Amino acid sequence: MTHRIKIAAGNWKMNGKRSDLVGVAKIEVEAQFNPEIQTVLCLPSTLLDRARNLKMNTGGQDCHVASSGAHTGDISADMLADAGASFVILGHSERRTDYKEADATIHDKVIAAWKAGLTVILCIGETRSDYEAKQTLNVLRRQLTHSLPKGANTRNTVIAYEPIWAIGTGRTPTHEEIQHTHGEIRNILGAHFTQGRSFSILYGGSVSPQNAKQIFRLNDVDGGLIGGASLDAEAFSQIIRDLTASVGELA
Ligand code: PGA
């Protein structure tokens, strides 16, 4: 079996000014000392160029399907790459909700990102009502099969499973539920893509220094997509340390 890459990815969302990059130095230290894992900070586009010298990967949080053109207010994958990004988050639930992004659009954005040489962090996740109606796996299967193009492989794509009801709420599924869902995502990927079972699958939604260690110990969890806690350099550094420790335990 291919070695699955462990990833700690921060998502700053619409937060962060130039002065906030100063605090990132602490995170950098953790990122440098841990060669077993990859660390990514998905920043607002305004900070990407400034973050070029960071000793970790940076990423954007969305991109347009076109590489340039008359699309006021948008940013292309090429432009993100030009500003130093090597990753991009696509299909985040906030984009799906705020901008009614459909799986078909996300599919085309993924292709645009790959063309620009970016690794895609593709977000999938169910709403609270999907969860309560026990529709989680159906929703995830639909999102994966409709938004992930043929050609996805372990180098160009990372999956982030983020239950929408867990994002920013302090609530998470149980460990058993997270492991079960990640295992099922791996099965779905394995059925549709040659390297499907070896994709890195991150958990996202209220990951914090209080719960990261236990979540990262789960067999089919390969790291986390971290929103709120990634804005606090000490908290994010602790989460990176927890991920590193889990690699030692699982080896
Ligand atoms: P959160 O956000 O860690 O603040 O819940 C995660 C995300 O939306 O990527």
Side-chain angles (χ1 to χ4, degrees), residues 2-18:
T2 321
H3 186 64
R4 280 152 30 199
I5 300 162
K6 304 285 172 179
I7 300 173
N11 175 11
W12 277 20
K13 308 190 180 187
M14 197 173 71
N15 297 290
K17 299 194 175 156
R18 288 179 304 173

Side-chain angles (χ1 to χ4, degrees), residues 11 13 92-94 162 166-169 204-207 225-229:
N11 175 11
K13 308 190 180 187
H92 191 281
S93 62
E94 285 149 19
E162 302 202 301
I167 295 176
T169 59
S206 294
V207 176
L225 180 56
I226 297 111

